Amino acid sequence: MSPAGETGTSATPPRANASNQGGSKLESTPNSRGASVVSENIGLVGVQVKEVWPWIQRDIEQAKQCKADAMLQALLQHASCAPETKQPELLQKCLKGVLPVCNGQVSAGGISSLGIETAWKKYVCPGVENDFYGPFIDATNIALACLEEIKIDGMRAPVSAVDMIFQQNDMPMHQTHQTARSIRKPDIVILPLKSACASFQDDNGSKTGKQKDKRKAAQKDDQKDDTKDSQKRKDHMVKNAKAKPKKLPWKDVLACIEFKRKTKEIKSPPSSYTVTDHVHTKPEHLPVGHLKAEVPTPGPSQTRATQPASDTAPDQSSGLTAAQTSKGGSSSKRKAADTLESTTKKSKFNPDEPDVTVQTGLYAAEMFAANVAVEHLINFIVIDDVIWTWYYDRQGTVQSSGINFIQDLPRFMVLLYALQRFKVHDWGRNKDFLPVEVEGKQCHEFKIKDEDLGTVDLLLHTSHPERVTHYGLQGRATNVVPVTSEALTKKYGNFEDGMVAKIFWGEASRTSEPEILKKVEEIAKRHPIVEGHIPQLLWHHKFTNPTSAIREALGVPEPTTGGRVLYILVFRKLHPITRLHGKDLFDVWRQCVLCHLTLWKEGVYHRDISPGNLMWYRKDGRLIGVLNDYDLSSLANALGPQGNERTGTVPFMALELLTKRGQQGKVKHLYRHDLESFMWVFAWIFLRYRQGVLLQRSRPLDEWATLDAIACGEKKLVFLTDFIDYLPPDLQSTIDLSLWALLVNCFELLQAANSNRVNNRVNDARHNLEVKLGWTEGTYEQIYAEETVSDMDDLLGKFTGTRAWVKLCDT
């Protein structure tokens, strides 16, 4: 539960393959390629991440697949009058029902569906990509107007509160994630009509554009009916739907549509349509890199130079860096610390841009971040005359097979028909968190009945600068938000620093964090070294909306694997350890180390030691360290590895876990691995912060957070051999020099331990080879010995017994 900055709980770059080779027993949860996320806190690493594509691409590559008809059936089910009841006949019924629109036989408010054919005839003409936005928007918006007239038994009426419309964008859209700022540029977006119209008003609420004067008469009607007005829709379709909007916020976007033109000629629409079986497109599903064959090999002038992760931003970046104002100069000279902007798209087949599947995934990440506790999202990719539906939630991504929207117009009309009947929560917005404005600030309200407290009221201050948001597609997607509550204040009184709500998608197969915290609280009652050093859980709630349900409906294999459920936990607010320095830093860190050992001995295995999980609060003038975040922890009585998500944050994981074997789950996660993580965390903070502030320049270790697990392990091994060269040149105080002495002692011990492990591995390999050759007797499989309590005490004693540790404790 970290505030903005470098203190999040996961910075997980693309992993090494984590398959269980050879069928050997898994000793720990592997680092699943598709189970992690960009970061639980985009500011975690303090690294100017030039490209976030690898993280998003890793998840997109693991997307599950389903048939187009299965996706249509599921969407229709959501839009039906009985969404909880299976209605297998819906698709065929709707395919027949939309035929009059397909064949130009429906008119609504002066709009005829004959216009769809006219738009398609323009669409199939050769041209550049931008030429196709207009005809596509015309066809879809005409279709929506006419589909309102189609009544099909069992289906809802169009949702007037949404009144969806297709809007051209192709303009930069901005969003701030903690201290990071992104710019994305989707081609077309689906919006509520009200939001689409609002984007063409100036700051005073008046219409903008060349036809401003001509529209004055319509303004009175706009004020009378903001939710549904056919004339308003028609006016927007004619005048603004194909124009570029102004300051369009991500929170209003229902879906994004990204276009690519691959062929020069597209087959013209048929003279009429009938209901037919779905015809498979080529490709049926979109793999990452499908269009790469269309990209010419870049010449020397097009090849991008490799640049340091933390110093200079590339000329074209689609990643995130610190959101500060550029101080002038060309983009090639801008420092990464001065800009975090993803470049606008200059060329549709630019090799320096992400694949269209990844680009659309980046849009989904923005949409997830813009709202609270989003349940799912839908985006679309259009290549030539084929559209693919992409469904995203925190369990992963599912893409349907393609639909040729010109040759198989009935299926495309059914897609629009279903979406037109979506309520806001069908688009994935969480209906339990209601947006409200408090003192001019955007907040969200959540109320629920509680058996003990009655009605629990939470006011989430989602505009607060200390809110921690998430950027990524899947995983826990932790958000931490300052919260106030009359019910909880009545029970607990006021906390000096207030309260925070932690909202995240936990794996359904894991022991839940509230259950683990209950065990932790029991341990704290018996051990003073734990009491006061654990987070105070004030209230929690588990929602009943598993992500596996849609996969079961879509026929996705193993639909429950990696399934997630939403939790909200309320805690007393804590402060991040990265704000501390000197003796305070050591004291809080040491308290967490000692608390962690006792919990491990008592059967609570934390397994995710990172800066964001070491916190503190002040009591009677003393700083109290808190070992935080137990949503990746496990209990000793749990049988085998739990869940599908990795345990550990790459830059801080033990070296042995960052090997190929470790990533395959063949290395048991032991106490010594967590203790080693504590050492890496201390080095990370000491080398990268001064007086509790993240260094802006000459900051070491940046690349640890941008490499995959194995590559990061290799870099950390190199660090161990020359760590003495990292002595900060500006150390002056005795305390700071003492902290450096502590690090020297700790890394000497880690270096020796690693050398011993390497020697043991060599001896094991030699022994196993001799066994295979028959030269000696023995077992071939290496047996991992369990750690005893004595082993743990002896190991920690090596560190606490160093001269630097003893001196710092006596200071």
Side-chain angles (χ1 to χ4, degrees):
M1 297 188 308
S2 316
E6 193 185 48
T7 54
T9 56
S10 173
T12 312
R15 306 283 185 171
N17 194 316
S19 63
N20 179 20
Q21 299 174 352
S24 61
K25 177 185 175 184
L26 290 183
E27 296 289 347
S28 62
T29 305
N31 286 327
S32 174
R33 280 178 58 89
S36 304
V37 295
V38 175
S39 69
E40 295 296 333
N41 173 354
I42 196 62
L44 157 76
V45 293
V47 175
Q48 316 314 320
V49 182
K50 296 182 295 185
E51 298 174 352
V52 295
W53 314 346
W55 287 268
I56 300 296
Q57 180 168 324
R58 187 267 335 279
D59 289 340
I60 293 297
E61 287 173 342
Q62 299 301 306
K64 304 297 183 181
Q65 300 174 348
C66 72
K67 299 295 184 182
D69 281 1
M71 181 65 77
L72 290 176
Q73 175 68 35
L75 298 180
L76 288 169
Q77 184 83 30
H78 276 289
S80 71
C81 298
E84 303 301 324
T85 304
K86 289 187 177 180
Q87 303 168 69
E89 76 289 349
L90 268 182
L91 177 56
Q92 288 301 313
K93 187 191 298 185
C94 290
L95 284 170
K96 295 176 182 177
V98 300
L99 282 179
V101 176
C102 300
N103 291 318
Q105 301 167 353
V106 178
S107 294
I111 299 173
S112 170
S113 63
L114 285 169
I116 299 174
E117 182 182 11
T118 302
W120 286 157
K121 287 181 177 179
K122 292 180 181 178
Y123 186 90
V124 301
C125 294
V128 297
E129 180 188 305
N130 292 18
D131 295 337
F132 306 111
Y133 302 162
F136 187 88
I137 290 169
D138 282 340
T140 50
N141 284 336
I142 290 170
L144 289 172
C146 295
L147 287 170
E148 286 194 12
E149 303 299 313
I150 303 300
K151 308 295 189 294
I152 298 176
D153 184 43
M155 295 298 296
R156 293 197 295 241
V159 178
S160 59
V162 176
D163 203 9
M164 63 173 277
I165 193 166
F166 283 72
Q167 173 68 53
Q168 181 167 333
N169 181 58
D170 203 28
M171 287 286 285
M173 293 176 61
H174 304 254
Q175 187 163 212
T176 299
H177 311 270
Q178 277 85 261
T179 59
R181 185 172 183 250
S182 65
I183 300 178
R184 307 285 174 217
K185 193 182 177 185
D187 296 331
I188 292 176
V189 292
I190 300 177
L191 298 170
L193 178 61
K194 183 177 180 180
S195 298
C197 293
S199 65
F200 288 91
Q201 294 178 341
D202 61 24
D203 294 336
N204 296 319
S206 60
K207 298 293 180 66
T208 60
K210 295 181 180 179
Q211 305 188 50
K212 177 178 176 180
D213 293 336
K214 296 181 181 180
R215 283 176 273 162
K216 286 184 178 178
Q219 291 182 9
K220 292 183 179 179
D221 292 335
D222 293 342
Q223 295 170 356
K224 288 181 180 179
D225 188 358
D226 286 332
T227 58
K228 186 69 185 291
D229 186 333
S230 59
Q231 186 59 45
K232 181 178 180 180
R233 164 177 280 276
K234 185 175 180 180
D235 286 348
H236 188 81
M237 286 172 56
V238 172
K239 300 168 184 175
N240 285 329
K242 293 180 287 185
K244 295 185 176 182
K246 176 184 178 182
K247 296 181 180 179
L248 186 63
W250 276 108
K251 67 180 180 63
D252 291 348
V253 175
L254 300 175
C256 295
I257 306 162
E258 191 69 3
F259 281 74
K260 295 293 178 187
R261 187 64 180 240
K262 183 179 178 183
T263 59
K264 293 182 178 180
E265 294 185 7
I266 298 176
K267 188 177 179 181
S268 297
S271 57
S272 64
Y273 293 93
T274 59
V275 176
T276 61
D277 291 337
H278 177 248
V279 177
H280 296 311
T281 58
K282 295 182 179 180
E284 184 176 2
H285 296 92
L286 277 182
V288 174
H290 169 61
L291 298 176
K292 292 298 183 185
E294 307 296 322
V295 182
T297 302
S301 63
Q302 296 173 283
T303 304
R304 180 169 56 186
T306 302
Q307 301 181 26
S310 61
D311 293 334
T312 307
D315 293 348
Q316 298 185 24
S317 167
S318 121
L320 300 175
T321 61
Q324 299 180 9
T325 304
S326 174
K327 297 181 180 180
S330 67
S331 61
S332 63
K333 295 181 181 179
R334 276 186 274 171
K335 298 295 183 181
D338 295 331
T339 180
L340 163 61
E341 304 187 354
S342 62
T343 192
T344 55
K345 295 174 291 181
K346 297 179 180 179
S347 168
K348 293 302 173 184
F349 296 112
N350 188 335
D352 285 339
E353 291 179 355
D355 183 77
V356 62
T357 57
V358 180
Q359 186 72 53
T360 310
L362 290 166
Y363 302 154
E366 299 289 348
M367 295 161 69
F368 272 128
N371 295 279
V372 177
V374 177
E375 295 181 350
H376 63 265
L377 294 170
I378 300 173
N379 280 337
F380 304 94
I381 295 175
V382 172
I383 299 178
D384 298 334
D385 53 355
V386 179
I387 187 169
W388 286 267
T389 302
W390 288 73
Y391 179 98
Y392 311 85
D393 62 21
R394 298 311 189 173
Q395 185 174 343
T397 303
V398 181
Q399 66 154 314
S400 74
S401 53
I403 297 172
N404 188 307
F405 52 84
I406 293 181
Q407 303 305 317
D408 193 356
L409 185 58
R411 275 180 171 75
F412 184 56
M413 289 297 105
V414 166
L415 173 63
L416 298 182
Y417 188 82
L419 297 179
Q420 188 180 48
R421 283 147 183 79
F422 268 19
K423 297 178 182 178
V424 173
H425 68 266
D426 294 317
W427 288 102
R429 304 296 194 268
N430 197 311
K431 60 185 176 182
D432 294 311
F433 296 85
L434 303 178
V436 294
E437 189 171 294
V438 178
E439 298 179 353
K441 299 289 186 179
Q442 178 72 49
C443 299
H444 283 78
E445 192 175 56
F446 174 72
K447 291 184 178 181
I448 194 170
K449 289 287 186 181
D450 183 88
E451 291 183 3
D452 299 324
L453 301 178
T455 298
V456 172
D457 60 308
L458 301 182
L459 183 63
L460 305 173
H461 298 270
T462 43
S463 296
H464 197 283
E466 290 191 0
R467 175 189 175 185
V468 175
T469 55
H470 164 270
Y471 191 92
L473 292 183
Q474 60 194 72
R476 288 170 290 163
T478 303
N479 270 243
V480 180
V481 189
V483 65
T484 52
S485 168
E486 292 183 5
L488 296 182
T489 299
K490 183 178 180 180
K491 178 177 181 180
Y492 295 101
N494 289 305
F495 293 100
E496 180 180 352
D497 296 313
M499 299 178 290
V500 294
K502 176 182 177 181
I503 306 167
F504 69 101
W505 290 86
E507 278 197 275
S509 59
R510 282 189 181 275
T511 305
S512 72
E513 186 171 9
E515 291 179 76
I516 291 176
L517 285 173
K518 184 178 180 181
K519 172 70 172 177
V520 169
E521 290 169 359
E522 293 172 356
I523 296 170
K525 293 176 182 178
R526 304 193 302 270
H527 296 276
I529 204 165
V530 174
E531 187 176 13
H533 298 284
I534 58 175
Q536 184 177 359
L537 178 60
L538 307 176
W539 182 82
H540 70 276
H541 177 71
K542 178 182 178 180
F543 293 81
T544 56
N545 49 346
T547 56
S548 57
I550 183 66
R551 286 159 177 77
E552 294 175 353
L554 294 175
V556 172
E558 299 180 333
T560 60
T561 300
R564 295 181 178 274
V565 291
L566 184 65
Y567 289 88
I568 180 168
L569 283 61
V570 179
F571 294 94
R572 173 184 182 173
K573 182 182 176 182
L574 301 169
H575 302 287
I577 193 172
T578 51
R579 291 185 185 176
L580 302 177
H581 59 93
K583 184 63 162 42
D584 288 341
L585 171 62
F586 171 75
D587 282 343
V588 165
W589 176 80
R590 179 182 59 84
Q591 292 172 42
C592 293
V593 170
L594 299 179
C595 171
H596 171 272
L597 173 62
T598 301
L599 290 176
W600 195 285
K601 290 178 180 178
E602 291 287 336
V604 176
Y605 306 146
H606 193 282
R607 291 178 170 168
D608 189 21
I609 304 302
S610 63
N613 294 341
L614 308 185
M615 311 288 284
W616 59 273
Y617 65 94
R618 194 178 298 275
K619 181 179 180 181
D620 299 329
R622 179 171 174 251
L623 300 187
I624 308 298
V626 174
L627 182 62
N628 201 38
D629 277 0
Y630 293 79
D631 51 0
L632 286 181
S633 304
S634 61
L635 300 177
N637 56 7
L639 299 176
Q642 290 192 318
N644 189 47
E645 187 172 20
R646 95 290 176 262
T647 50
T649 302
V650 167
F652 317 109
M653 288 173 68
L655 292 171
E656 192 175 12
L657 298 178
L658 296 178
T659 61
K660 182 178 179 180
R661 296 175 65 258
Q663 292 298 288
Q664 292 172 345
K666 296 179 180 179
V667 176
K668 187 168 185 177
H669 195 135
L670 302 172
Y671 168 74
R672 60 180 171 83
H673 296 127
D674 267 18
L675 182 58
E676 182 179 333
S677 292
F678 273 108
M679 307 307 156
W680 294 116
V681 166
F682 196 90
W684 180 271
I685 299 171
F686 182 79
L687 294 175
R688 298 165 58 79
Y689 288 79
R690 290 296 176 272
Q691 305 300 310
V693 178
L694 183 66
L695 293 171
Q696 295 302 306
R697 299 182 185 278
S698 302
R699 185 174 56 230
L701 316 184
D702 273 355
E703 61 184 340
W704 290 9
T706 61
L707 298 170
D708 65 44
I710 292 176
C712 182
E714 292 169 352
K715 287 293 183 181
K716 290 168 73 172
L717 270 175
V718 172
F719 173 86
L720 269 188
T721 63
D722 61 3
F723 65 87
I724 202 69
D725 294 335
Y726 283 80
L727 171 66
D730 56 347
L731 296 186
Q732 296 179 356
S733 72
T734 302
I735 287 294
D736 283 344
L737 289 172
S738 298
L739 295 180
W740 174 248
L742 174 66
L743 281 176
V744 170
N745 289 166
C746 290
F747 283 119
E748 285 176 335
L749 289 169
L750 290 181
Q751 193 176 52
N754 183 67
S755 296
N756 288 337
R757 280 195 298 273
V758 170
N759 291 335
N760 290 337
R761 288 277 293 161
V762 170
N763 290 335
D764 287 341
R766 175 182 51 75
H767 174 73
N768 290 336
L769 179 59
E770 292 176 356
V771 170
K772 287 181 108 176
L773 292 171
W775 295 354
T776 187
E777 296 182 357
T779 58
Y780 177 71
E781 291 289 338
Q782 179 179 358
I783 299 175
Y784 284 92
E786 293 291 335
E787 287 178 322
T788 65
V789 169
S790 178
D791 292 333
M792 300 176 200
D793 288 333
D794 290 346
L795 179 61
L796 180 57
K798 293 180 180 179
F799 291 91
T800 61
T802 61
R803 186 174 184 181
W805 189 299
V806 173
K807 289 288 186 181
L808 282 166
C809 289
D810 292 340
T811 302

